[in-house]
Amino acid sequence: MGRTSWSLDRRPVRHIARQSDRGDSGGGWPGDIPAVAQLLREGLELPAGVTFLVGENGSGKSTLV
């Protein structure tokens, strides 16, 4: 399957990434929560379809949302 053109993709969120121009180090809350720290490092690609956020209590699911 080929990549869908960004202009034709109507999903409200397709990718989550840290803004490079923010100037903050990401340290402190919520950057010290493991799930958020990983998101800041690696970003998150949300494919088309249903996306589930799964993790232990206190792992940062609600913070991410």
Side-chain angles (χ1 to χ4, degrees), residues 2 5 15-16 20-21 23 25-26 30 33 36 43 55 58 60:
S5 170
H15 180 79
I16 299 171
S20 59
D21 62 348
S25 65
I33 297 170
V36 176

Side-chain angles (χ1 to χ4, degrees), residues 22-59:
R22 291 264 319 202
D24 59 357
S25 65
W29 189 89
D32 56 355
I33 297 170
V36 176
Q38 181 178 356
L39 176 69
L40 290 172
R41 281 191 315 270
E42 302 173 16
L44 179 64
E45 190 72 34
L46 299 172
V50 178
T51 299
F52 293 93
L53 298 176
V54 180
E56 297 291 326
N57 289 344
S59 64

